[in-house]
Amino acid sequence: MTAQLAEPQEAVDRPDRQPLAGRTCLVTGASRGIGRGIARELGRYGATVIVNYRSSEEAAQEVADTITDADTEGTAYPVQADVTDHGELTTMRETVRDMVGPIDVLVNNAGITSDCTFANMTPEEWHRVIDVSLHGTFNCTKAFYDDLETVDDGRIITISSVIGKQGNVGQANYAAAKSGLFGFTRSLALELADSGTTANCIAPGFTRTEMVEAIPDHIQDDLRSEIPLERFASIDEIAGLVRYLASEESGYITGEVIDINGGIDL
């Protein structure tokens, strides 16, 4: 039996309270997919959101406009930077500080796939994924580390994947990068504990994004059959967890890898 999946809702209505008002949140890779949903959710709850993008300027501007134009206290600014480029990240950091001051929340979301069985994987395909998904997370965290160490209730939230735990055929590069984020997050949590800043990792399972929707229907059916809840996650479900971890209420959670995968690893 295949469960019917309702289309995810991209709500922008004003919630009853604005728990992220006064917080500045930077989301990498925020012009589409899960990053886009995260940025919108944080803005919906009152945050100032830095919408980072590498090349999709128009899409990033649309995300920022949606946040700023909504009936909430949130506002947003698109800022370009390639997370693999130290120089661009330095420029982004200075641009953000000039616009809004230090950030309170960093969401490391940027990542790519380049799927190929290991026997056929080239060094270029390996390094391309590692450079964005793992090195890019290091680079961006390094660029904003001083902010996050000194602000009150700072938050580092890194988006990994269930593939980092389970592995997957044709994704040795992606699995290695996403698995590496677990140890990175736990080490940061220990080093930042005295400052009150927390570091946590989210490991989503299959999520209804453009990438998943491009998978042939019969393969989607096979994937859903392996998930106890018999459906993919919605972007809103991932974004809601990020929003909670960005809030003051999550202050006693740190160093955790939080699964949100419909029970696929049970």
Side-chain angles (χ1 to χ4, degrees):
M1 173 181 170
T2 299
Q4 190 69 31
L5 179 66
E7 289 299 315
Q9 298 296 312
E10 293 187 302
V12 294
D13 297 333
R14 171 187 285 274
D16 292 336
R17 54 197 298 264
Q18 296 287 291
L20 298 181
R23 305 277 273 172
T24 297
C25 307
L26 188 153
V27 184
T28 66
S31 65
R32 60 189 179 89
I34 291 175
R36 178 180 186 272
I38 291 170
R40 287 169 60 95
E41 179 77 356
L42 298 176
R44 178 177 173 244
Y45 280 79
T48 296
V49 184
I50 305 302
V51 180
N52 163 255
Y53 68 97
R54 182 180 66 87
S55 58
S56 302
E57 181 178 4
E58 184 175 347
Q61 185 66 60
E62 186 273 332
V63 175
D65 289 345
T66 299
I67 293 168
T68 301
D69 294 344
D71 185 22
T72 70
E73 296 175 17
T75 189
Y77 306 92
V79 180
Q80 189 279 332
D82 182 339
V83 297
T84 69
D85 189 309
H86 291 278
E88 291 189 12
L89 286 175
T90 298
T91 299
M92 177 170 74
R93 180 189 64 209
E94 298 310 313
T95 297
V96 171
R97 286 177 177 174
D98 288 345
M99 287 193 304
V100 295
I103 68 169
D104 302 281
V105 179
L106 171 63
V107 182
N108 288 309
N109 168 75
I112 62 169
T113 59
S114 183
D115 296 350
C116 182
T117 59
F118 185 76
N120 296 313
M121 186 174 292
T122 66
E124 291 75 20
E125 289 168 327
W126 172 268
H127 287 293
R128 186 181 309 122
V129 172
I130 297 294
D131 283 348
V132 176
S133 299
L134 186 56
H135 294 167
T137 296
F138 167 84
N139 292 338
C140 204
T141 305
K142 190 71 172 177
F144 288 92
Y145 189 82
D146 289 346
D147 288 4
L148 296 161
E149 189 179 30
T150 56
V151 296
D152 294 332
D153 298 313
R155 302 284 186 264
I156 300 173
I157 305 163
T158 298
I159 307 302
S160 182
S161 170
V162 68
I163 302 303
K165 289 189 167 186
Q166 295 185 334
N168 197 30
V169 174
Q171 291 192 308
N173 48 6
Y174 185 74
K178 293 299 187 179
S179 179
L181 296 175
F182 301 155
F184 176 76
T185 295
R186 288 172 170 142
S187 297
L188 281 180
L190 290 170
E191 294 184 16
L192 287 166
D194 288 347
S195 73
T197 288
T198 65
N200 290 288
C201 198
I202 295 174
F206 292 100
T207 304
R208 186 171 286 283
T209 61
E210 293 176 1
M211 181 174 66
V212 169
E213 289 179 343
I215 297 172
D217 289 344
H218 70 282
I219 297 179
Q220 289 193 42
D221 289 341
D222 290 343
L223 291 171
R224 277 191 291 265
S225 71
E226 298 176 4
I227 302 171
L229 291 184
E230 297 185 319
R231 66 176 179 86
F232 301 140
S234 73
I235 290 175
D236 286 349
E237 288 170 318
I238 310 302
L241 179 54
V242 173
R243 180 246 305 156
Y244 172 69
L245 290 176
S247 71
E248 293 181 2
E249 286 82 356
S250 71
Y252 203 56
I253 302 173
T254 195
E256 295 299 322
V257 176
I258 303 175
D259 298 319
I260 180 166
N261 59 33
I264 196 172
D265 57 348
L266 295 177

